[in-house]
Amino acid sequence: MNKGDKMLNDNRIRVIIGHYGSGKTEFSINYAIQLAKEEKKVALADLDVVNPYFRSREKHGLLEEHGVKIMSSYVKGSGSDLPAVSADVLGPLQDKSSNVVLDVGGDSMGARTLGRYREYFVEGDYDMFCIINANRIETQTVEGVLHHISSIEGASRAKVTGLINNTHLLRTTTVDEVLKGQRLCKEVSEALNIPIKYTGVIESLVNQLPQDIEGTIMPIKMIMREAWM
């Protein structure tokens, strides 16, 4: 099964959550661009009202070039990011022919943003994927990840349906680091009885990963960070 087929098997609304530093926005953008190669209508909503850095809306032009419609919490002309979400998000959520990726603030405060849209989180119509970076202090252990997921579910009133291993050290990531994250994700998967859906990995390591690794391999192009970062 190729990557496109796998992504098309995800439910129409895809919610991506993850702690600051997990690579959530980088994954969301790569995911949306890949999805747009397979689907005509793809919208990416930047719902992160907590973290002012590395926002998906900053890549508005690039995303539109790839056929991805971008929406954000940024209010044009305000000069700052406001803790409010544009009503433009409702259009793609209501349009059954539109594929939606929601990039959501990684803590319980950020997840509260989803409460506004809870009527669209119907079982079988949405997925909520939790990104795990085993190198982040908050998600280095099974207990830490379980606590993170529990707090997100409580705040958003939606259930996590899959895990994404995105363990990295930016451009110094090694295969061993990815596999360390895979072991952690496997334990969480078994504890919650939810699958590992994707393994995000920097492009240069894709061919070095075991072929039987659980979760579809998602090559990550470093879009949010310039080469010097």
Side-chain angles (χ1 to χ4, degrees):
M1 178 180 293
N2 67 41
K3 182 166 52 188
D5 290 337
K6 184 73 172 182
M7 296 177 75
L8 295 180
N9 285 337
D10 295 339
N11 287 313
R12 183 179 71 87
I13 300 171
R14 291 98 158 165
V15 182
I16 312 293
I17 65 169
H19 263 297
Y20 174 71
S22 65
K24 169 182 61 67
T25 294
E26 200 78 82
F27 183 91
S28 297
I29 290 176
N30 277 269
Y31 182 100
I33 289 174
Q34 183 62 37
L35 184 60
K37 295 177 181 178
E38 309 292 336
E39 286 284 358
K40 292 182 179 179
K41 298 175 71 173
V42 176
L44 171 62
D46 177 357
L47 301 188
D48 192 340
V49 296
V50 177
N51 175 28
Y53 306 106
F54 302 112
R55 302 288 299 273
S56 55
R57 67 167 176 80
E58 296 171 5
K59 300 300 179 180
H60 185 281
L62 175 67
L63 286 160
E64 290 204 331
E65 286 177 11
H66 284 87
V68 179
K69 179 180 180 181
I70 180 72
M71 299 159 291
S72 80
S73 57
Y74 181 70
V75 179
K76 291 182 180 178
S78 69
S80 64
D81 283 316
L82 300 179
V85 178
S86 170
D88 291 345
V89 178
L90 292 175
L93 286 175
Q94 293 170 349
D95 181 0
K96 296 291 187 180
S97 67
S98 182
N99 289 269
V100 185
V101 180
L102 304 180
D103 177 6
V104 183
D107 59 14
S108 57
M109 181 181 297
R112 290 193 189 105
T113 303
L114 290 175
R116 178 175 180 181
Y117 307 110
R118 62 182 180 275
E119 66 184 279
Y120 301 102
F121 302 140
V122 178
E123 185 175 355
D125 202 29
Y126 86 98
D127 278 304
M128 184 155 74
F129 299 143
C130 179
I131 289 195
I132 298 173
N133 181 354
N135 290 319
R136 297 301 301 170
I137 293 176
E138 303 88 347
T139 54
Q140 286 182 331
T141 66
V142 174
E143 293 74 18
V145 177
L146 294 178
H147 174 74
H148 174 55
I149 289 177
S150 176
S151 65
I152 292 291
E153 289 181 336
S156 66
R157 288 177 279 183
K159 299 292 291 183
V160 170
T161 61
L163 306 174
I164 297 170
N165 174 24
N166 200 49
T167 299
H168 67 86
L169 291 170
L170 298 175
R171 291 180 177 84
T172 62
T173 304
T174 63
V175 170
D176 285 343
E177 290 294 327
V178 177
L179 296 180
K180 176 180 72 176
Q182 197 73 6
R183 291 191 293 271
L184 175 62
C185 286
K186 184 66 175 178
E187 290 188 64
V188 174
S189 172
E190 292 173 351
L192 297 179
N193 194 31
I194 55 178
I196 301 173
K197 295 288 291 187
Y198 294 95
T199 295
V201 60
I202 193 166
E203 290 179 309
S204 60
L205 294 182
V206 168
N207 293 330
Q208 300 178 43
L209 292 178
Q211 292 298 308
D212 61 350
I213 195 167
E214 187 172 353
T216 297
I217 294 174
M218 174 66 71
I220 300 296
K221 186 183 294 293
M222 300 291 280
I223 294 173
M224 293 306 299
R225 289 178 179 268
E226 304 297 337
W228 55 268
M229 297 179 75

